[in-house]
Amino acid sequence: MKIDELAFACIPGELFSLLGHKIEQYLAPLKVFVIGYANDYVGYILDEESYEKNEYESFTTFLSKGEGERIVDSIVTLAKKCQIRRERDR
């Protein structure tokens, strides 16, 4: 969702910060708010590299490796369809 110079990306879980930064980079220069636990909860949403760290989140996530990147790609695709994108892409 975009309101003036603000963009809101709603995620149904706890998104790892690296993935949130990718969303922010795509939507820059808009001020981006990545909102977790929105409308549902699928658990931890990890980037691919975090699965190799053998930490709590990688053991408890319900999602397969690569799903976090697919979620980010879906958000970027939706932003393109809604023409929410960076100034330099217009």
Side-chain angles (χ1 to χ4, degrees):
M1 176 172 53
K2 179 180 182 276
I3 302 173
D4 295 324
E5 295 303 314
L6 305 175
F8 299 88
C10 299
I11 310 293
E14 189 167 331
L15 189 71
F16 269 39
S17 60
L18 178 68
L19 296 172
H21 291 307
K22 288 182 180 183
I23 296 169
E24 290 172 344
Q25 288 172 346
Y26 176 77
L27 295 174
L30 296 173
K31 175 67 177 164
V32 179
F33 295 89
V34 178
I35 302 168
Y37 303 96
N39 199 32
D40 203 349
Y41 180 69
V42 298
Y44 293 109
I45 304 171
L46 288 69
D47 57 274
E48 287 185 354
E49 295 172 6
S50 294
Y51 282 86
E52 308 303 323
K53 294 182 181 177
N54 294 323
E55 294 177 344
Y56 175 78
E57 295 86 352
S58 64
F59 292 122
T60 59
T61 185
F62 297 110
L63 303 177
S64 300
K65 186 176 182 180
E67 288 298 316
E69 282 76 9
R70 282 189 272 284
I71 290 170
V72 170
D73 290 344
S74 295
I75 291 169
V76 168
T77 299
L78 182 60
K80 286 179 182 178
K81 286 181 182 179
C82 296
Q83 298 181 348
I84 300 172
R85 53 180 85 160
R86 296 178 282 200
E87 292 296 322
R88 65 175 177 233
D89 290 342
R90 290 187 183 178

